Amino acid sequence: MSVDCVIFGFDFEKLKVLVIQDEPNEAPSKARFSLPGDLIYDDETLDQAAARVLKELTGLENIFLEQLGAFSSLDRLSKPADKEWLIMMREQPEMRVITVAYFALVNLNAFNPMVAKFAKAVSWKPVDEIDSMAFDHFDILQKAHQQLQSKLKIQPIGFNLLPEKFTLSQLHKLDEVIAGKELDKRNFRRKMIKLKIVEKLDEKQKGVPHKPSSFYHFNVENYQKLAETGFDNFGF
Amino acid sequence: MSVDCVIFGFDFEKLKVLVIQDEPNEAPSKARFSLPGDLIYDDETLDQAAARVLKELTGLENIFLEQLGAFSSLDRLSKPADKEWLIMMREQPEMRVITVAYFALVNLNAFNPMVAKFAKAVSWKPVDEIDSMAFDHFDILQKAHQQLQSKLKIQPIGFNLLPEKFTLSQLHKLDEVIAGKELDKRNFRRKMIKLKIVEKLDEKQKGVPHKPSSFYHFNVENYQKLAETGFDNFGF
DNA sequence: TAACAAAAACGTCGTTATGACACTTAGATA
DNA sequence: TATCTAAGTGTCATAACGACGTTTTTGTTA
């Protein structure tokens, strides 16, 4: 039994995901990426295991991890490269392992995995540039990505992916990236402002060679209130 | 590792769930109900296990089982009555077991578990009359119920809970029962008809002491089409 | 210092969806 | 023939939606 974590981040350009390069010293062409994950202990819940493993492998902690689902294909560990890895790393490489995936959204800018002991192994990779991963992690990533898109259709999400203060343009860009399509700028702003889940601050961008945009912050209380009623008729 | 199945049914009055009475010969007051579930085999996926176990325990087959999530509390098997049961029924009663729950919607009228070998153990129970179950099955049931309600907010569901031919009043009642609130009759009908996911048949109720209602059937193609676009702005 | 480049900010209008609300109709039964 | 019961139907005011172009503010460049 194992857990794997799909951690999404946003750098104002692209949706990214936290991946581990299994053998950092390999040539880039042979690089093999996986999601942070490991076997669980017998005395912890899956939620606890996911939080623990994520912290151990990346240093990330205190983030909201949501369960995505269990993955149990019979051949999920049977690619040659995966078998090799298991023989090297696991006491019981032949053991069947079912994994439960978790996913989370984090502010990429506040967390830089490029430090200390994680420097070589952990990195952010644009979701749209990934076409294969170790084990069944690509399947898991795709499911997580779908989940993210589905959720966006139902409720405004993604505030976790932005800094405390953000501009509406950034939020707009984020939602476009998640939705995978253009969203009309004016209609988008109208909606966010009408829902009252963002509040304008008395602060503007500085040093940009164009009209500076105002910073906003996320209004948690209003969001909660809306969440209770289920965001009736939210959607793009 | 085990699977448990939450099977919802609808008898035109109440939302019901398929439960197993562990010791059918006990006095009703001591009755202990659980969800159909069992340990998985090492050579089957969770999806396969759920389908197999459900068939073995209830005779139900060929239904769409959707994964609900994994349940892994450390104390999920530790109530005294549960321990007793495990000691009687399991080879390794102390073993930690994590379960993955599945849920499905079925037409209660087409499936009568009150037959053959299942007669004593399996029955439909109104969801709102259940306040405790064996193991953590009550938690699972609640999660499944929530999931059902959330899904209804996003997309029209529940056609699986009705017979092939149904009346709009039945569908209306069903959605009210799932949503747990009144839905305006006229607005409800308007919406269903506008979405074109139901089609009127040339057939009416007979023998009812009031104006007979027309039968409708579910239009799968239109439903699929809408499902692809994500039921933009569906909701009550 | 004037012109320019770049992104932010803003409003309208026609269309569609929504929620609230009450009476008429068809068939069975007494 | 009267009565009962649930089915079936329409309107209106309000809110949300999608589509669309121009002006504003800043820094940079000529």
Side-chain angles (χ1 to χ4, degrees):
Chain A
M1 196 81 214
S2 68
V3 288
D4 288 297
C5 303
V6 183
I7 311 299
F8 289 110
F10 179 61
D11 64 357
F12 304 133
E13 285 294 330
K14 287 192 160 190
L15 188 65
K16 300 195 168 183
V17 64
L18 205 56
V19 295
I20 294 185
Q21 188 169 355
D22 287 338
E23 290 163 54
N25 299 324
E26 281 287 336
S29 61
K30 284 190 67 183
R32 183 167 164 281
F33 294 96
S34 65
L35 297 169
D38 204 351
L39 298 177
I40 70 167
Y41 297 150
D42 215 44
D43 61 352
E44 65 186 353
T45 65
L46 290 165
D47 290 10
Q48 288 163 356
R52 173 184 60 78
V53 167
L54 184 62
K55 184 178 176 188
E56 285 175 4
L57 294 178
T58 70
L60 257 184
E61 59 187 320
N62 296 323
I63 61 174
F64 176 65
L65 283 158
E66 186 173 342
Q67 196 188 108
L68 181 65
F71 293 77
S72 62
S73 318
L74 298 178
D75 60 357
R76 57 179 297 273
L77 306 180
S78 61
K79 280 182 288 189
D82 295 334
K83 279 187 172 172
E84 230 175 83
W85 186 92
L86 289 166
I87 288 166
M88 287 202 357
M89 307 294 287
R90 289 270 168 87
E91 287 181 21
Q92 299 169 271
E94 299 293 335
M95 181 178 63
R96 175 169 191 197
V97 178
I98 288 173
T99 199
V100 173
Y102 281 78
F103 81 102
L105 311 177
V106 307
N107 173 5
L108 183 148
N109 306 283
F111 169 68
N112 190 345
M114 303 300 184
V115 293
K117 60 177 171 174
F118 313 117
K120 281 196 184 144
V122 181
S123 63
W124 291 104
K125 248 197 142 187
V127 171
D128 62 7
E129 291 175 17
I130 298 176
D131 55 7
S132 74
M133 295 188 81
F135 312 115
D136 58 351
H137 288 187
F138 185 62
D139 296 335
I140 296 175
L141 173 60
Q142 282 190 309
K143 175 91 184 288
H145 193 193
Q146 278 168 23
Q147 178 90 343
L148 189 61
Q149 292 187 324
S150 308
K151 288 195 88 158
L152 181 65
K153 282 192 180 167
I154 301 160
Q155 60 187 239
I157 50 171
F159 294 101
N160 291 334
L161 288 160
L162 294 170
E164 276 286 307
K165 299 173 190 173
F166 52 86
T167 69
L168 284 190
S169 299
Q170 289 168 343
L171 182 57
H172 177 226
K173 173 77 181 174
L174 170 59
D175 279 18
E176 283 191 332
V177 165
I178 293 177
K181 65 180 182 191
E182 279 199 2
L183 304 171
D184 183 87
K185 196 169 31 160
R186 283 157 295 187
N187 296 341
F188 178 85
R189 299 171 82 95
R190 175 174 58 187
K191 183 145 211 164
M192 289 300 153
I193 289 164
K194 189 205 53 189
L195 289 173
K196 295 186 180 170
I197 50 180
V198 292
E199 271 169 11
K200 198 171 184 170
L201 301 174
D202 281 337
E203 197 182 342
K204 291 180 179 179
Q205 280 184 318
K206 279 177 189 166
V208 288
H210 55 75
K211 182 171 179 176
S213 77
S214 292
F215 284 111
Y216 285 74
H217 73 105
F218 176 44
N219 184 319
V220 186
E221 300 87 47
N222 287 344
Y223 184 89
Q224 307 278 23
K225 260 185 255 165
L226 284 169
E228 282 166 26
T229 68
F231 291 101
D232 290 7
N233 298 320
F234 174 88
F236 291 113
Chain B
M1 198 79 214
S2 68
V3 288
D4 288 298
C5 302
V6 183
I7 312 298
F8 288 110
F10 179 61
D11 64 357
F12 304 132
E13 284 294 329
K14 287 191 159 190
L15 188 66
K16 300 196 167 182
V17 65
L18 204 57
V19 295
I20 293 185
Q21 188 169 355
D22 287 338
E23 292 162 52
N25 298 324
E26 280 286 337
S29 63
K30 285 190 66 182
R32 184 166 163 283
F33 295 96
S34 65
L35 297 169
D38 204 351
L39 298 178
I40 70 167
Y41 297 150
D42 216 45
D43 61 352
E44 65 186 354
T45 64
L46 290 165
D47 290 9
Q48 288 163 355
R52 172 183 60 77
V53 167
L54 185 63
K55 183 178 176 188
E56 285 175 3
L57 295 178
T58 71
L60 257 184
E61 60 186 321
N62 295 322
I63 61 175
F64 176 65
L65 283 159
E66 185 173 342
Q67 196 187 111
L68 181 64
F71 292 76
S72 62
S73 319
L74 299 178
D75 60 356
R76 58 179 296 274
L77 307 180
S78 60
K79 282 183 286 189
D82 294 335
K83 278 187 172 172
E84 234 174 80
W85 186 92
L86 289 165
I87 288 166
M88 289 202 355
M89 307 293 288
R90 290 269 167 86
E91 287 182 21
Q92 297 170 271
E94 299 293 335
M95 181 180 61
R96 177 170 192 197
V97 178
I98 288 174
T99 200
V100 173
Y102 280 78
F103 81 104
L105 310 177
V106 306
N107 173 7
L108 181 148
N109 306 282
F111 169 68
N112 190 345
M114 302 300 183
V115 292
K117 60 176 171 174
F118 313 117
K120 282 193 184 146
V122 181
S123 64
W124 291 105
K125 248 196 140 189
V127 171
D128 62 7
E129 290 175 18
I130 298 176
D131 55 7
S132 74
M133 296 188 80
F135 312 115
D136 57 351
H137 288 186
F138 186 61
D139 295 337
I140 295 174
L141 173 60
Q142 283 190 308
K143 176 90 183 288
H145 193 192
Q146 279 168 23
Q147 178 90 343
L148 189 62
Q149 293 188 324
S150 307
K151 287 196 90 158
L152 181 65
K153 282 193 181 165
I154 302 161
Q155 60 186 240
I157 50 171
F159 294 100
N160 290 334
L161 288 159
L162 294 170
E164 276 285 308
K165 299 171 188 173
F166 52 86
T167 69
L168 285 190
S169 299
Q170 289 168 345
L171 182 57
H172 178 224
K173 173 76 181 172
L174 170 59
D175 278 18
E176 284 190 332
V177 165
I178 294 177
K181 66 179 181 191
E182 280 198 0
L183 303 171
D184 182 87
K185 192 169 38 159
R186 282 158 296 187
N187 295 341
F188 178 84
R189 299 171 80 95
R190 176 175 56 189
K191 183 146 211 163
M192 289 301 154
I193 289 164
K194 189 205 54 190
L195 289 175
K196 296 187 180 169
I197 50 181
V198 291
E199 270 169 13
K200 198 170 185 170
L201 302 174
D202 281 336
E203 196 182 342
K204 291 181 179 181
Q205 279 184 319
K206 280 178 189 165
V208 288
H210 55 75
K211 180 170 180 177
S213 79
S214 293
F215 284 111
Y216 285 74
H217 73 106
F218 176 44
N219 184 319
V220 187
E221 299 87 48
N222 286 343
Y223 184 87
Q224 306 278 24
K225 259 184 254 166
L226 283 169
E228 282 166 26
T229 68
F231 291 102
D232 289 7
N233 298 319
F234 174 88
F236 292 113

